[in-house]
Amino acid sequence: MNYDLSQIPDRTAKPRQNGITMVMDKGLSVREVEDMLSVSHTHIDIVKLGWATSFVTPDLDKKLDVYRSANVPFYFGGTLFEAFVVRNQFEDFRRLIDKYKLQYAEVSDGSVEMPADEKCEYIRTLAKQVTVLSEVGSKDEEKIIPPYKWIRLMRAELEAGAWKVIGEAREAGNVGLFRASGEVRQGLVEEILTEIPNEKILWEAPQKAQQVWFVKLLGANVNLGNIASNDIIPLETIRLGLRGDTFTHFLDQETQKKWKL
């Protein structure tokens, strides 16, 4: 930090297991990645090249080299995994991981109907090759998954070898964990947390109000994903109680009483 302030919550240090910020790259140019990393690399834990953007992004190798030079790991989105699987090209997907020296892979079934056992088998296979994140939830806003099923799927995928399970929200934050308006399905989240440890979940939360909600519920070191490139530093201020939305959250009672907060 550039100067001292008291009553700031402790943040875990990179490389960290908790307090992760996963950033969404939706097709940034090489120059845009360089600019983003120049100010935000200390706050970025993982970058996801969203859905299948890696298939059409020009100068992909140059861009990935910029991430590598900053020691920022990256992976390709879960929809790309699904695109390979539905085309019976899973082994090609595995070769793609090796070709681009990916450290992570995402297994999801947000766009296809995939039996849970089959999904877990993909996780087990890929976990021998890379660190796996598995995504739970549908991209179809009409498909409402009951809490007990979220819990059952998350538990099974963690047991199969997933490092973290991702709570689906899409890049817009309007499905899965959230209503179409972006409002958090509070009961769903709270019920999931009765069975699945918070540190094992990465919550997709692209909207500021969603990020604030999770920080207030679970603290500065909650795992958050699908963060836009221009929201990385703003999110860090939310985590530290240095934005209006969380300004009082980490202040002690004496300070709050003195200032009538």
Side-chain angles (χ1 to χ4, degrees):
M1 303 305 170
N2 294 320
Y3 41 83
D4 293 330
L5 277 174
S6 64
Q7 300 186 55
I8 299 296
D10 290 334
R11 283 285 277 127
T12 50
K14 293 173 60 175
R16 52 190 154 212
Q17 296 294 309
N18 302 314
I20 290 168
T21 295
M22 181 266 276
V23 173
M24 173 77 87
D25 177 339
K26 297 190 287 186
L28 297 174
S29 69
V30 173
R31 181 63 58 83
E32 287 173 321
V33 171
E34 291 171 339
D35 289 343
M36 175 181 72
L37 294 175
S38 71
V39 294
S40 302
H41 74 277
T42 58
H43 306 302
I44 302 172
D45 296 280
I46 316 171
V47 171
K48 174 167 69 175
L49 278 67
W51 54 101
T53 55
S54 60
F55 185 66
V56 297
T57 298
D59 295 324
L60 178 62
D61 286 304
K62 291 182 181 179
K63 178 161 81 166
L64 299 184
D65 281 341
V66 175
Y67 283 127
R68 290 188 188 101
S69 66
N71 198 29
V72 172
F74 50 84
Y75 67 97
F76 299 160
T79 302
L80 183 65
F81 158 80
E82 296 178 51
F84 273 89
V85 167
V86 298
R87 291 167 173 81
N88 196 31
Q89 291 182 252
F90 177 61
E91 290 304 317
D92 290 333
F93 180 74
R94 296 188 66 190
R95 284 188 281 272
L96 187 77
I97 290 171
D98 290 337
K99 175 182 177 180
Y100 289 105
K101 298 180 174 63
L102 304 183
Q103 299 176 45
Y104 296 83
E106 181 179 317
V107 174
S108 69
D109 57 351
S111 299
V112 300
E113 292 287 340
M114 184 183 297
D117 290 347
E118 182 179 339
K119 186 180 180 185
C120 286
E121 190 56 38
Y122 285 124
I123 293 170
R124 276 188 284 270
T125 299
L126 288 173
K128 299 173 185 176
Q129 185 176 1
V130 288
T131 299
V132 175
L133 299 102
S134 65
E135 188 173 70
V136 176
S138 175
K139 290 178 170 57
D140 183 352
E141 64 183 48
E142 301 299 323
K143 185 176 180 180
I144 305 300
I145 301 174
Y148 81 88
K149 190 171 183 181
W150 281 79
I151 292 167
R152 186 180 70 196
L153 293 171
M154 285 181 165
R155 182 181 291 120
E157 292 170 23
L158 288 168
E159 290 174 354
W163 172 57
K164 306 283 185 192
V165 285
I166 300 173
E168 169 72 77
R170 300 195 73 174
E171 73 279 4
N174 57 4
V175 298
L177 296 170
F178 306 103
R179 297 183 173 87
S181 64
E183 180 186 2
V184 181
R185 297 183 187 275
Q186 182 173 342
L188 169 62
V189 171
E190 291 178 347
E191 191 159 347
I192 289 171
L193 288 168
T194 64
E195 299 289 339
I196 307 298
N198 169 49
E199 62 270 16
K200 301 301 293 184
I201 305 172
L202 194 156
W203 310 94
E204 290 186 341
Q207 298 182 26
K208 185 189 78 167
Q210 297 165 353
Q211 297 159 17
V212 169
W213 191 88
F214 277 109
V215 168
K216 286 184 174 180
L217 179 69
L218 298 169
N221 291 306
V222 60
N223 301 316
L224 297 176
N226 283 14
I227 306 304
S229 58
N230 60 346
D231 285 337
I232 301 163
I233 287 180
L235 169 58
E236 196 64 22
T237 62
I238 289 172
R239 290 184 184 275
L240 298 176
L242 296 174
R243 193 166 179 176
D245 309 85
T246 55
F247 188 83
T248 64
H249 193 69
F250 298 105
L251 296 176
D252 61 33
Q253 290 184 351
E254 182 179 347
T255 301
Q256 292 189 44
K257 182 177 180 181
K258 176 181 178 181
W259 291 92
K260 299 178 181 179
L261 298 174

